[in-house]
Amino acid sequence: MTEPAEAEDRESGSVPERESGSVPERQVGALVLVGTPIGNLGDLSPRDVDALRDADVIAAEDTRRTRALLTHAGIPGGNRVRAVHAHN
C-alpha cells in the first residue's frame, strides 16, 4: 500500500514511478530471495541474474550447485558464496 506522503510525491513528480516489472534500485541492507531452477538452468530469470550479480553475499545450501548456476549465468562467484545449512 502506498503511504500518503509517497503518493503526494508521485503526483507532484518528485518521485518517479517504476515501470511494471522493473528491478528497483539496490538498497543497503536488503535481503533478496532468489528461487533457483531445479532442473533446467536456463529457467533462471533475467531479474534473478541481476539480483545474483548485484549481491554482496550469496547464501546457499549447496555451494557446488550454486557455483554451477552462477557459472551458467556468467556471474563470478568469488568469495561471495557462503554455505548455509543445518550443519554449520
Side-chain angles (χ1 to χ4, degrees), residues 23 27 39 56 62 73 86-87:
V23 178
Q27 298 174 357
D56 293 326
D62 186 342
H87 303 291

Side-chain angles (χ1 to χ4, degrees), residues 33-74:
L33 302 178
V34 175
T36 57
I38 294 172
N40 185 353
L41 296 179
D43 288 341
L44 190 65
S45 76
R47 184 179 294 180
D48 292 341
V49 171
D50 289 342
L52 290 169
R53 183 177 294 118
D54 294 342
D56 293 326
V57 175
I58 299 172
E61 184 176 9
D62 186 342
T63 57
R64 295 168 297 177
R65 301 276 301 152
T66 301
R67 287 191 187 281
L69 178 71
L70 293 173
T71 300
H72 176 80

